[in-house]
Amino acid sequence: MIILALESSCDETACALVEDGKKVLASCIASQANLHAEFGGVVPEIASRLHVEAVLPVIDKCLRISKLKIQDIDGIAATVGPGLIGALLVGLSAARALALAWNKPFYPVHHMAGHIASNYLEDDSLPSTSSAHSSLPSLTASPLTPKCEPPFICLLASGGHSQIVYVKDYLDFEVLGSSRDDAAGECFDKVARALNLPYPGGPSIDKLAQTGNETAYKFPLISFKDDHLAYSFSGLKTAALSYINQKKMEAKQKHTPWEISFSLPDFAASFQAAVIQNLFIPIEIAMEKKKCKRLAVAGGVSANSYLRKYVKERFSEAEHEIYFPSLKYCTDNAAMIAAMAYYQASASLLENISFIAQPNISLEQFYIRKK
Ligand code: KG4
Ligand code: ZN
């Protein structure tokens, strides 16, 4: 079964064609990151307009790369939420129009379920047509993994979400824990901005941290007595921002550049280590709770080089099965949306051309969980 999917929930306009939920036949991403960079974050109105400009060219490019004909495609999918409403509407409207014009079934997909499904994609050697990842440090995508299969615990860490999800089956999700405030990716982005690093901040901090000492600065490790599976990143973010602001003020009084008043690589490395360590405090508790030794990591932050090293050191291969998406499918892409749609189509679930964009919908609400 071949699915054409569109993703436009934030600042990437993406199209992909994926066979049987795993084989990527084509994946194209038009990234807007450079255009939002001067504002230090995504400007929703600009994002919507840029999606409108990019959506038809990415579909066209994908069809050309795959050499597929319309009759080869079995279904159309699009991200319907969560995300920016204007941005979501562009991909969703285009996908629904294609489904109507080509007489194909349409599958609405939850963005975070798509991130989880990035772990089902084959680790192919297709060159990425995106410019979005050019600032990532050169890491080899892990060739290690056979395809991940449920049940597993998934750590979802993106710009908008930090969650621990028990993926009992392809369409059965139980959210075990979530952030009570900021997401891990957001925390990277805000601190990077204060350090005057380019947007998006995660890859910039990752790069800067390569030469830093992760033990140079102490950051808090946060856990809640009333919920061992909840996250909080706002304290960590505030600690980092307060330190940077203090250094900026001191430097201003001394008329010296603040950038030389402390070691930026050491600061980046220590901050990055703290974010990642905080992400993993509850993971072992969740794995124990569900008696599950299989762990997958997904979302933009799963591209982080320290995270990948840390996981391999912390979870022994003898006792655990660990999965990462290949690097090009960590951040937003449409191949993951097509992969998720394949499981919806296979189960005849959520085929609905009238589905409207749902900017805040939760995973459990979307795939109404069988208790
Ligand atoms: O999943 P994603 O592409 O978009 C959302 O659904 O939010 O995640 C984007 C987030 C951004 O906050 C970005 O800074 C972060 O993922 N990110 C990283 C890395 N690459 C992307 N964070 C840390 N290290 C990275 N290498
Ligand atoms: Zn995402």
Side-chain angles (χ1 to χ4, degrees):
M1 183 194 298
I2 295 176
I3 304 236
L4 180 150
L6 294 180
E7 153 63 39
S8 67
S9 62
C10 191
D11 61 346
E12 256 104 31
T13 324
C15 179
L17 281 146
V18 176
E19 189 171 0
D20 294 340
K22 58 183 175 195
K23 189 168 194 280
V24 183
L25 306 173
S27 174
C28 303
I29 304 171
S31 178
Q32 311 173 354
N34 291 346
L35 292 143
H36 295 288
E38 65 174 293
F39 305 102
V42 178
V43 183
E45 179 59 25
I46 295 178
S48 310
R49 285 162 192 255
L50 294 171
H51 283 306
V52 172
E53 283 173 23
V55 71
L56 293 181
V58 290
I59 297 170
D60 216 37
K61 191 167 177 184
C62 247
L63 287 169
R64 270 189 285 116
I65 290 173
S66 70
K67 300 195 174 70
L68 290 173
K69 300 193 182 66
I70 291 166
Q71 58 265 36
D72 299 326
I73 298 168
D74 299 291
I76 310 290
T79 306
V80 294
L84 303 170
I85 181 72
L88 287 167
L89 280 171
V90 178
L92 175 58
S93 309
R96 282 168 57 177
L98 287 183
L100 279 174
W102 295 347
N103 197 23
K104 310 280 180 193
F106 173 75
Y107 302 97
V109 174
H110 191 282
H111 182 74
M112 299 317 288
H115 273 302
I116 294 172
S118 63
N119 278 287
Y120 308 145
L121 293 168
E122 280 173 1
D123 196 354
D124 55 64
S125 53
L126 274 177
S128 174
T129 60
S130 159
S131 56
H133 311 306
S134 54
S135 55
L136 283 176
S138 61
L139 272 169
T140 40
S142 44
L144 46 131
T145 48
K147 196 171 82 78
C148 179
E149 284 175 14
F152 58 92
I153 298 282
C154 188
L155 166 60
L156 275 176
S158 69
H161 292 77
S162 297
Q163 288 187 318
I164 305 169
V165 181
Y166 180 51
V167 185
K168 196 170 171 196
D169 208 339
Y170 290 102
L171 299 162
D172 189 354
F173 305 102
E174 181 182 355
V175 177
L176 302 174
S178 294
S179 178
R180 290 186 171 178
D181 39 59
D182 298 345
E186 187 184 348
C187 198
F188 271 114
D189 293 338
K190 297 269 164 62
V191 170
R193 188 175 172 176
L195 290 171
N196 291 1
L197 297 173
Y199 169 84
S204 303
I205 289 190
D206 196 344
K207 203 169 168 186
L208 181 64
Q210 301 291 312
T211 53
N213 169 9
E214 74 199 48
T215 61
Y217 291 85
K218 293 273 167 284
F219 286 98
L221 290 178
I222 293 119
S223 57
F224 294 97
K225 283 206 180 85
D226 62 334
D227 184 355
H228 297 299
L229 299 178
Y231 288 120
S232 168
F233 288 99
S234 69
L236 189 55
K237 179 188 74 181
T238 307
L241 294 182
S242 305
Y243 186 82
I244 299 166
N245 287 338
Q246 187 196 327
K247 287 290 163 193
K248 283 184 177 175
M249 263 159 32
E250 284 169 12
K252 200 173 173 190
Q253 277 159 9
K254 290 186 205 152
H255 304 287
T256 54
W258 68 270
E259 293 90 339
I260 56 161
S261 65
F262 63 111
S263 163
L264 266 58
D266 284 355
F267 187 81
S270 305
F271 169 74
Q272 170 176 267
V275 175
I276 304 306
Q277 285 165 20
N278 269 297
L279 277 173
F280 282 92
I281 294 172
I283 289 292
E284 271 164 273
I285 305 169
M287 291 174 90
E288 181 57 36
K289 184 174 172 184
K290 290 293 174 189
K291 303 269 169 283
C292 180
K293 298 278 185 192
R294 193 177 291 160
L295 172 69
V297 189
V301 180
S302 66
N304 185 267
S305 61
Y306 178 87
L307 179 147
R308 290 179 171 234
K309 190 166 68 92
Y310 180 82
V311 171
K312 282 182 192 142
E313 283 166 10
R314 179 151 178 173
F315 298 93
S316 77
E317 269 184 48
E319 279 184 60
H320 304 91
E321 269 181 60
I322 308 291
Y323 295 88
F324 292 104
S326 86
L327 278 178
K328 60 181 172 241
Y329 302 130
C330 288
T331 42
D332 290 350
N333 65 88
M336 66 186 197
I337 303 302
M340 190 59 214
Y342 167 76
Y343 291 98
Q344 294 175 205
S346 306
S348 305
L349 190 91
L350 279 163
E351 185 206 319
N352 184 353
I353 188 87
S354 313
F355 214 91
I356 54 164
Q358 310 235 357
N360 297 311
I361 189 137
S362 79
L363 200 51
E364 284 174 327
Q365 261 176 300
F366 196 88
Y367 294 99
I368 301 160
R369 200 168 75 81
K370 301 174 227 88
K371 300 269 176 199

